[in-house]
């Protein structure tokens, strides 16, 4: 069976290094993006990108991914991933999402916060819609019982 080719932009905590901080009973595992893709048989991480060589090297050594890039644009153009996870800081997220959407990526998962302004959010929305990209944005907690109760309380006017 063919696997979805995944690329990760951002090699910090949520990219995967958070795994080294969590106690075994603290959260569900895997928690970070790279370990989660490793746990899914239908996906394969084919490349990682980060603007800091030091952080990129640390991540690469930690997870054994030698296909690294300092420029996510070059990574997307060369690797042609099916899915891109974007785990950069919020201020650096919009441009990566838009670039991925406009360059053939079929699915994008972005961490929260989405971006740094409403104008960026509008540009993201336009790029996602114009290119028919499957998009998910930091939704890991939406099924958590506490968040469900809060949603219900807000809906009920409490």
């Amino acid at each position: 069976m063919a696997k979805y080719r995944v690329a990760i932009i951002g090699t910090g905590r949520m990219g995967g290094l958070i795994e080294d901080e969590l106690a075994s009973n603290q959260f569900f595992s895997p928690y970070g993006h790279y370990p989660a893709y490793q746990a899914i048989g239908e996906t394969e991480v084919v490349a990682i990108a980060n603007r800091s060589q030091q952080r990129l090297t640390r991540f690469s050594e930690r997870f054994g991914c030698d296909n690294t890039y300092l420029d996510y644009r070059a990574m997307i153009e060369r690797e042609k991933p099916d899915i891109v996870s974007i785990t950069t800081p919020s201020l650096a997220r919009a441009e990566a999402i838009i670039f991925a959407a406009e360059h053939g990526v079929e699915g994008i998962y972005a961490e929260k916060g989405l971006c740094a302004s409403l104008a960026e959010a509008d540009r993201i929305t336009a790029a996602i819609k114009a290119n028919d990209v499957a998009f998910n944005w930091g939704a890991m907690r939406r099924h958590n019982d506490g968040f469900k109760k809060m949603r219900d309380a807000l809906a009920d006017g409490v």
Side-chain angles (χ1 to χ4, degrees), residues 1-108:
M1 176 178 180
K3 291 188 177 196
Y4 290 103
R5 296 171 43 79
V6 177
I8 298 175
I9 302 170
T11 58
R13 292 180 80 234
M14 288 312 299
L17 296 177
I18 193 168
E19 301 289 322
D20 298 333
E21 301 173 24
L22 302 175
S24 60
N25 63 349
Q26 189 173 4
F27 287 98
F28 58 89
S29 184
Y31 193 84
H33 290 244
Y34 197 102
Y37 287 119
Q38 284 181 312
I40 300 169
E42 294 83 4
T43 62
E44 175 185 11
V45 177
V46 296
I48 55 176
N50 198 78
R51 63 183 179 205
S52 161
Q53 182 64 59
Q54 181 180 7
R55 192 169 258 186
L56 187 60
T57 299
R58 177 181 172 205
F59 195 94
S60 172
E61 290 172 355
R62 167 64 175 84
F63 293 105
C65 182
D66 296 330
N67 195 15
T68 64
Y69 290 83
L70 290 171
D71 181 352
Y72 70 82
R73 293 169 193 87
M75 178 183 69
I76 290 170
E77 288 175 339
R78 288 187 192 127
E79 302 299 330
K80 302 192 182 332
D82 302 304
I83 300 169
V84 170
S85 273
I86 303 173
T87 69
T88 63
S90 300
L91 293 172
R93 205 164 286 146
E95 292 305 321
I97 293 168
I98 293 165
F99 186 88
E102 292 176 345
H103 288 84
V105 175
E106 297 174 37
I108 299 171

Side-chain angles (χ1 to χ4, degrees), residues 110-149:
E111 274 295 325
K112 57 200 174 313
L114 179 60
C115 54
S117 72
L118 290 175
E120 286 182 346
D122 289 342
R123 290 179 49 228
I124 289 168
T125 301
I128 296 298
K129 287 182 177 181
N131 295 285
D132 196 28
V133 175
F135 183 75
N136 192 3
W137 163 47
M140 68 178 210
R141 293 185 179 148
R142 72 188 213 188
H143 299 293
N144 177 286
D145 192 52
F147 287 87
K148 286 181 183 180
K149 288 178 182 174

